[in-house]
């Protein structure tokens, strides 16, 4: 029974964190549009708010769930043997639901229609390549820190990477299938058209797979216990790996 309660608490943390992340991305994008007519300044505002907010929510929920907030991170944890596949599937489900809820929440907070399907087409060759690069880099940042015993600095490193990737990638670094799905439901600065989303998700999964290869090549001694400390060490990461990483 305690295991069920722990799993429920873990999934609640992942769902809330994912919702807050989507609200950060979408809400700061809406605010940026309202505050400035300059696209470059809008992107700067969106990126800065997302990076700062991501740092905070990783600190907030990391000790409970590991602060994945991203199906690619959860699937990578499963591939590396740290997270049971059934638990990873549950993580992915709550991440998707959380990101959709967060996008809707952001819409409502800014007096937009609760659901407005985005018309912003983004699926171009350069954008998809950028998503592969952005996602592979994110996986490498997270799991290289775990392997080298520096998981405690991951909140800042992940936030810094995402903030920078807004600028060095042409796609503005979605790097997250759940965020991609959530952003379909807001026809605002951060939105993505449903017709573009599947290609983005495929590119992100490809980037995640590339990231796993790079982690294994660069850090061949990665153990499943170290992988369990993915984004930040969760409160029970030293327990049996038959349990979820943040349970």
């Amino acid at each position: 029974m305690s295991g069920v309660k722990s799993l429920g608490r873990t999934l609640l943390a992942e769902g809330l964190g994912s919702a807050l992340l989507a609200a950060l991305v979408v809400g700061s994008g809406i605010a940026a549009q309202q505050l400035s007519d300059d696209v470059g300044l809008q992107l700067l505002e969106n990126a800065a708010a997302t990076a700062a907010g991501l740092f905070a929510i990783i600190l907030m929920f990391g000790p409970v769930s590991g602060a994945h907030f991203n199906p690619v991170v959860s699937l990578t944890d499963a591939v590396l043997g740290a997270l049971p596949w059934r638990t990873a599937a549950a993580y992915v489900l709550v991440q998707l639901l959380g990101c959709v809820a967060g996008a809707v929440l952001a819409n409502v907070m800014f007096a937009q229609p609760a659901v407005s399907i985005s018309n912003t087409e983004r699926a171009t060759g350069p954008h998809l390549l950028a998503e592969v690069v952005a996602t592979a880099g994110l996986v490498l940042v997270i799991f290289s820190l775990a392997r080298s015993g520096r998981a405690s600095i991951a909140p800042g490193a992940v936030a810094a990477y995402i903030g920078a990737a807004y600028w060095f990638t042409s796609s503005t670094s979605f790097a997250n299938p759940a965020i991609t799905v959530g952003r379909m439901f807001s026809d605002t600065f951060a939105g993505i058209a449903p017709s573009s989303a599947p290609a983005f998700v495929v590119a992100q999964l490809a980037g995640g797979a590339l990231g796993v290869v790079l982690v294994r090549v660069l850090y061949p001694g990665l153990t499943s216990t170290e992988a369990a400390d993915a984004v930040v060490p969760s409160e029970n990461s030293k327990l049996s790996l038959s349990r979820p990483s943040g349970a």
Side-chain angles (χ1 to χ4, degrees):
M1 181 62 71
S2 62
V4 174
K5 289 181 179 178
S6 294
L7 178 59
R9 182 165 46 82
T10 300
L11 295 179
L12 177 61
E14 276 296 296
L16 289 174
S18 298
L20 281 176
L21 177 58
L24 275 166
V25 173
V26 175
S28 62
I30 297 172
Q33 277 187 313
Q34 294 179 351
L35 293 171
S36 174
D37 294 326
D38 183 273
V39 176
L41 184 55
Q42 290 172 355
L43 182 60
L44 177 61
E45 293 162 349
N46 191 202
T50 299
L54 178 58
F55 178 75
I57 64 173
I58 291 174
L59 293 177
M60 197 183 312
F61 297 109
V64 181
S65 70
H68 294 190
F69 313 143
N70 186 335
V72 170
V73 175
S74 298
L75 293 174
T76 298
D77 231 12
V79 168
L80 294 175
L83 194 66
W85 282 101
R86 290 178 63 182
T87 304
Y91 266 48
V92 170
L93 178 60
V94 297
Q95 289 158 359
L96 289 167
L97 294 175
C99 283
V100 172
V104 171
L105 175 62
N107 290 337
V108 173
M109 286 194 295
F110 284 90
Q112 305 286 323
V115 174
S116 57
I117 303 302
S118 176
N119 291 309
T120 304
E121 298 288 345
R122 298 180 184 266
T124 68
H127 285 168
L128 297 179
L129 175 60
E131 282 300 293
V132 173
V133 171
T135 310
L138 177 62
V139 168
L140 191 55
V141 167
I142 292 170
F143 290 93
S144 65
L145 291 176
R147 174 61 184 89
S148 57
R150 296 175 294 161
S152 62
I153 67 171
V158 171
Y161 176 81
I162 291 298
Y166 261 79
W167 289 92
F168 81 79
T169 65
S170 60
S171 64
T172 67
S173 183
F174 285 46
N176 184 333
I179 281 290
T180 301
V181 171
R183 287 166 75 158
M184 293 191 305
F185 293 89
S186 183
D187 190 20
T188 58
F189 183 78
I192 181 172
S195 57
S196 294
F200 261 56
V201 171
V202 170
Q204 290 154 3
L205 293 174
L210 175 59
V212 170
V213 171
L214 291 173
V215 168
R216 283 179 163 167
V217 170
L218 294 172
Y219 296 95
L222 177 67
T223 67
S224 56
T225 300
E226 289 165 330
D229 287 344
V231 182
V232 294
S234 55
E235 60 185 14
N236 291 314
S237 61
K238 295 181 180 180
L239 297 181
S240 169
L241 291 173
S242 64
R243 297 178 61 183
S245 65

